[in-house]
Amino acid sequence: MLIFVRIVCVVVGYCFGLFQTAYIYGKMHGIDIREYGSGNSGTTNALRVLGKKAGIVVFAGDFFKAATACVAARIVGTVFFPDILYPMILWAGFGVVIGHNFPFYMNFKGGKGIAATAGVILGVLDWRIMVVCLLSFIITVVITRYVSLGSLIVVSLFLISFLALGLNGMIYSPVTHSAYSGDALLECYVILFLFASLAFYRHKDNIVRLVNGNENKIFEKKD
């Protein structure tokens, strides 16, 4: 039964992830966003190709579709499955990222899932993790102007901060108010490792460019 619950969370999350904000916004403006810029159906490419307004709209759409899926999982989990509440939230969020990155109706060519992951971070509702991830992203992007680097740092710190808090008994169940432990906590670590692994995989080309020093910078003017 509980395995089925997890599968449902992933499937429902995937359905949320199929709402491709950048693709829809681009079509509303007469283009297929995947044919321009980096070819990525996500916030950064929308920002570069269609401007700041597009970037904001796309980020908000991708962010809130993930947050909504996580909130839905939280509501159901709180009522019916409190012992696996956090795994349910994270599985739903991971499903959103998979749907965003690999939408079946777009030949599995979507985005990279960072805005959606940000929505999952909100869905976890831990202010400590939110502050760490938000500040690290802002500082990294302001200093380096590399959105890809900031994104990879965020997904890494999502895992690291949750791991650190969990190992120190500082992840509490909102239902029982006791510290999360045992298999449920370990499952959360595994899911967050999958988040980070997928993000690094989707950014493999960016990583090569970062290493070679020719990665695109945000708001960089082209000659």
Side-chain angles (χ1 to χ4, degrees), residues 32-42 45 49 109-111 202:
D32 184 339
I33 191 69
R34 299 170 299 167
E35 297 176 356
Y36 294 83
S38 66
N40 177 55
S41 179
N45 198 38
V49 174
K109 185 181 179 182
R202 294 292 288 165

Side-chain angles (χ1 to χ4, degrees), residues 36-223:
Y36 294 83
S38 66
N40 177 55
S41 179
T43 299
T44 304
N45 198 38
L47 175 63
R48 289 197 175 106
V49 174
L50 295 168
K52 293 180 181 179
K53 179 182 177 181
I56 294 171
V57 171
V58 171
F59 176 84
D62 292 344
F63 178 90
F64 284 111
K65 71 185 180 187
T68 302
C70 290
V71 168
R74 176 180 288 273
I75 292 172
V76 174
T78 298
V79 176
F80 298 105
F81 307 102
D83 291 340
I84 58 167
L85 175 60
Y86 275 117
M88 285 181 63
I89 294 170
L90 293 176
W91 279 126
F94 188 61
V96 175
V97 173
I98 295 174
H100 176 79
N101 291 357
F102 308 108
F104 71 89
Y105 66 95
M106 293 168 58
N107 295 320
F108 302 98
K109 185 181 179 182
K112 296 182 179 178
I114 299 303
T117 299
V120 178
I121 294 173
L122 175 65
V124 171
L125 290 182
D126 190 305
W127 67 269
R128 298 162 298 185
I129 297 175
M130 286 189 279
V131 169
V132 167
C133 291
L134 178 61
L135 288 180
S136 66
F137 181 81
I138 292 174
I139 292 171
T140 301
V141 174
V142 167
I143 293 176
T144 69
R145 289 193 294 159
Y146 290 135
V147 174
S148 57
L149 180 60
S151 300
L152 293 173
I153 288 176
V154 165
V155 295
S156 299
L157 288 177
F158 190 14
L159 168 60
I160 293 169
S161 57
F162 197 102
L163 179 64
L165 292 171
L167 291 175
N168 286 280
M170 299 174 68
I171 296 290
Y172 296 97
S173 168
V175 180
T176 64
H177 303 293
S178 58
Y180 244 58
S181 61
D183 292 343
L185 188 59
L186 179 60
E187 185 177 354
C188 291
Y189 299 155
V190 171
I191 303 168
L192 291 174
F193 178 77
L194 293 176
F195 267 99
S197 298
L198 181 57
F200 273 81
Y201 170 74
R202 294 292 288 165
H203 284 81
K204 59 184 184 298
D205 293 335
N206 302 85
I207 294 171
V208 172
R209 290 194 294 267
L210 285 168
V211 172
N212 293 332
N214 56 4
E215 171 69 322
N216 295 321
K217 293 184 177 182
I218 193 72
F219 302 130
E220 184 177 43
K221 294 182 178 180
K222 302 292 184 180
D223 295 330

